[in-house]
Amino acid sequence: MTRFIAAKKQFGQNFLQDEAVIEAIFSAFAIQKGERILEIGPGRGALTQHLLKSGALLDVVEIDNDLIAYLQQRYPQLQQHIHHKDALTFSLTELNLAQNKVRIIGNLPYNISTPLLFHLLAQKDHIADMLFMLQQEVIDRLAAQPGCKAYGRLSVMVQLQCKVQALFSVPPQAFKPQPKVMSKIVYLVPYEKPLYVVTSMVVLEDILRDAFNQRRKTIQNSLKTYFNAEELTALGLDPKMRAEQMSVEQWVKLANAVA
Ligand code: SAM
């Protein structure tokens, strides 16, 4: 008999209950038999049971002791593939992928979603694609285009490395306990070859931080420690633009001019 495990707030546990949402997730992330799949945060197995039925070669990574015991009991066939680890430090090399790439799926803990995305993007050479449930507001930022309020550092850093497709929204009623926010599904496909070559990611991140921390200022003001108006014009940029108007390509151009 498996015992009931109460949801823990510190691990962002909002368990998916709605079968229609689960079906929509699986039809968006069509899984073929034999594919390598990693599920982040399997929880009580709402997605895991469907992943196992699909015939995928599944690994799961879960931080919570109680849920690890529950998963080991419920899915004895997964024994060697249940990783009791923190996804924020989990290395995909632990999956012994050889030349294969892994597909990653998860209804992610919202409290760590941004650092987790960056941790995964740093290992993107091992990743075929990713489908995640996240807080709607975060997905709106991931997918935002220049000129939108939601466009910012996260949009630029992620769109530089992945194709981003926001799919559908999921209301709080689909979970137990219910989160206080709307959720959404996002599909991310890392680019095999970089869209634009970045000389230094550190410089790019510094410039983005400086500019978006003062997003109401023109770039000639917010980036004056790097460029004057003439230098910006020489790079083909209007010094009167604001950070939220600049495309990913223009950000890379600026960063490469500093690095
Ligand atoms: N997949 C389940 C579902 O859809 O019902 C659970 C989703 S719940 C939103 C997030 C899951 O991630 C929980 O099982 C939680 O314990 C786990 N989790 C939270 N922080 C984690 C971390 N740092 N590393 C791995 N798993 C984590």
Side-chain angles (χ1 to χ4, degrees), residues 118 155 190:
F118 280 100
S155 330

Side-chain angles (χ1 to χ4, degrees), residues 30-160:
I31 294 173
Q32 305 295 314
K33 199 171 167 193
E35 284 179 335
R36 294 291 309 261
I37 306 278
L38 173 67
E39 184 186 5
I40 297 179
R44 295 185 194 142
L47 301 176
T48 320
Q49 55 182 337
H50 294 266
L51 288 165
L52 282 169
K53 273 192 215 141
S54 73
L57 302 175
L58 180 63
D59 284 87
V60 302
V61 54
E62 172 59 62
I63 200 168
D64 183 345
N65 289 331
D66 292 334
L67 287 173
I68 286 289
Y70 170 88
L71 291 162
Q72 282 169 340
Q73 191 179 356
R74 185 167 171 194
Y75 305 113
Q77 71 275 41
L78 261 186
Q79 277 307 328
Q80 304 303 317
H81 301 278
I82 298 176
H83 305 268
H84 185 195
K85 295 269 168 72
D86 181 346
L88 282 173
T89 51
F90 184 74
S91 167
L92 298 178
T93 56
E94 294 190 38
L95 300 178
N96 298 319
L97 293 167
Q99 300 307 313
N100 294 319
K101 289 194 176 190
V102 67
R103 306 187 70 199
I104 307 183
I105 187 167
N107 170 15
L108 297 185
Y110 296 171
N111 49 348
I112 58 163
S113 55
T114 306
L116 187 53
L117 283 174
F118 280 100
H119 177 64
L120 293 171
L121 286 174
Q123 306 179 77
K124 68 179 177 351
D125 291 349
H126 298 296
I127 302 174
D129 57 1
M130 302 176 263
L131 185 128
F132 294 133
M133 172 98 73
L134 289 170
Q135 188 175 338
Q136 176 161 286
E137 185 240 314
V138 172
I139 292 186
D140 291 345
R141 284 164 51 207
L142 291 176
Q145 293 301 305
C148 296
K149 231 177 155 187
Y151 184 71
R153 279 164 57 196
L154 188 63
S155 330
V156 176
M157 290 303 294
V158 173
Q159 289 172 28
L160 178 63

